[in-house]
Amino acid sequence: MASAVSTNPRFLNRVVLITGAARGMGRTHSLAFAHEGARLVLCDACRQYDSVPYPLAQPDELADLVHEIERLGRPVIAEQVDVTDLAAMQALADRALSELGPVDIVVANAGLYSFAPSWELSEAQWDETIAVCLKGVWITCKVCIPQMLPGRSGKIICIASTAAQKGMANLAHYVAAKHGVLGLVKTLAIELAPYNINVNAVSPTSIDTTMCRNQALYDVFAGGPGPLATHEHMLELMNQLNLFSDRDLLPPEAVSAAVLWLASDEARHITGSVLPVDAGYLTR
Ligand SMILES: NC(=O)c1ccc[n+]([C@@H]2O[C@H](COP(=O)([O-])OP(=O)(O)OC[C@H]3O[C@@H](n4cnc5c(N)ncnc54)[C@H](O)[C@@H]3O)[C@@H](O)[C@H]2O)c1
């Protein structure tokens, strides 16, 4: 990625709010918008959930991202906020409005999961995944939409998943939440069309972030811990699902490119849609 702001930035001074920004795709979305001239409002819970078997972000990762954006000369607000906390998210949106102006673009990206057959999921696993992946998306939209209505413009991009369109073993809570995200996106698209606000989803397949590069997931693909529980074995199975790939997970920047395009004027006629970034996985 270029180390300076683009000479022809698509999002100059647009206020972009991104959740789950400290690592993974949230980080690449944030940097991509910063390179295109945006002003950023970022949040991440920066804490580990007991039900999640791989590391989530730490506070220093959010701080590092802020420094990187500041080095690009772009304004940024970043707070350790949990997307399931309505009052805290409202306070963040209020701060964005008073310091940067109304939010123009929302990327509801924060997410997590855990793995077990449906009947073995704990109540905590179910509740936490549904809360972050579905309620958190609704809260993110709820606190930003009132800032978009008066200007009768805005873009909302919700990060779904190929799990929003397929059943997937060991992920009932996540699959249910991501299917719910598509229902929310379609409904918001109808409600917000009179205000010229576009609402769309992006459905990534397996992307090279910690969410996919962790031992707990390798164990699931191998049917349990053992010699086959490796990244290479998981890739071998995944590559039978994707139509083409680089024999590796897709780079997070591929999803950021889709997010920025949906947020751009070029996509102004698209709303209520789901854009897969899936190497053809959903066509099977
Ligand atoms: N990695 C994949 O293969 C993949 C595929 C499809 C969809 N997705 C979706 O993409 C989005 C980003 O995932 P990723 O791969 O970058 O994962 P990641 O684990 O690298 O990043 C997720 C970020 O969300 C943050 N987060 C978790 N709970 C939060 C909460 N309650 N409030 C605020 N922040 C919270 C984490 O701390 C982390 O920084 C998620 O919605 C995920 O479901 C990922």
Side-chain angles (χ1 to χ4, degrees):
M1 190 174 284
S3 58
V5 171
S6 159
T7 49
N8 188 19
R10 280 180 292 174
F11 302 104
L12 189 61
N13 291 329
R14 301 275 175 81
V15 178
V16 184
L17 184 141
I18 302 174
T19 66
R23 67 161 53 181
M25 284 184 257
R27 186 173 189 284
T28 58
H29 303 334
S30 303
L31 288 171
F33 274 111
H35 280 287
E36 296 255 18
R39 295 181 288 169
L40 277 309
V41 183
L42 309 179
C43 82
D44 200 293
C46 297
R47 76 169 176 92
Q48 195 58 38
Y49 281 70
D50 289 342
S51 72
V52 176
Y54 60 89
L56 297 169
Q58 295 299 310
D60 59 331
E61 292 172 72
L62 190 58
D64 287 349
L65 176 61
V66 167
H67 291 142
E68 209 164 328
I69 292 169
E70 284 172 347
R71 276 198 296 275
L72 289 169
R74 301 315 304 153
V76 52
I77 291 171
E79 288 189 8
Q80 198 173 324
V81 169
D82 185 327
V83 288
T84 67
D85 183 339
L86 175 57
M89 285 296 289
Q90 186 62 64
L92 178 66
D94 292 347
R95 183 180 166 204
L97 179 62
S98 71
E99 293 183 21
L100 299 177
V103 172
D104 298 299
I105 296 164
V106 176
V107 185
N109 165 80
L112 48 70
Y113 60 14
S114 48
F115 317 103
S118 305
W119 61 95
E120 289 178 12
L121 283 171
S122 69
E123 195 174 357
Q125 283 177 310
W126 179 271
D127 285 347
E128 290 180 351
T129 292
I130 297 282
V132 176
C133 293
L134 182 53
K135 184 180 176 185
V137 174
W138 167 70
I139 285 179
T140 303
C141 297
K142 176 178 168 61
V143 300
C144 293
I145 289 167
Q147 297 188 18
M148 296 175 160
L149 298 178
R152 304 184 80 79
S153 70
K155 307 278 187 184
I156 297 175
I157 297 104
C158 299
I159 306 303
S161 167
T162 47
Q165 287 152 277
K166 291 240 189 209
M168 289 186 184
N170 299 298
L171 283 171
H173 50 350
Y174 184 74
V175 168
K178 293 295 188 179
H179 275 67
V181 168
L182 296 193
L184 178 63
V185 161
K186 289 175 193 171
T187 300
L188 286 172
I190 292 167
E191 292 175 341
L192 294 174
Y195 300 91
N196 298 315
I197 297 169
N198 303 63
V199 189
N200 291 292
V202 172
S203 277
T205 184
S206 304
I207 306 297
D208 196 355
T209 68
T210 321
M211 195 173 201
C212 261
R213 201 179 265 280
N214 68 77
Q215 190 60 48
L217 186 60
Y218 307 156
D219 291 351
V220 170
F221 270 84
L228 283 180
T230 62
H231 183 73
E232 289 66 31
H233 181 65
M234 180 190 74
L235 276 183
E236 209 172 295
L237 297 177
M238 280 181 173
N239 282 330
Q240 294 167 14
L241 302 174
N242 295 341
L243 289 185
F244 57 76
S245 81
D246 303 333
R247 306 289 307 160
D248 210 336
L249 301 171
L250 271 60
E253 289 81 3
V255 181
S256 299
V259 168
L260 266 70
W261 179 70
L262 280 173
S264 75
D265 289 341
E266 286 184 336
R268 66 188 171 282
H269 300 299
I270 297 172
T271 199
S273 292
V274 190
L275 177 56
V277 181
D278 73 338
Y281 169 77
L282 287 171
T283 64
R284 286 192 189 274

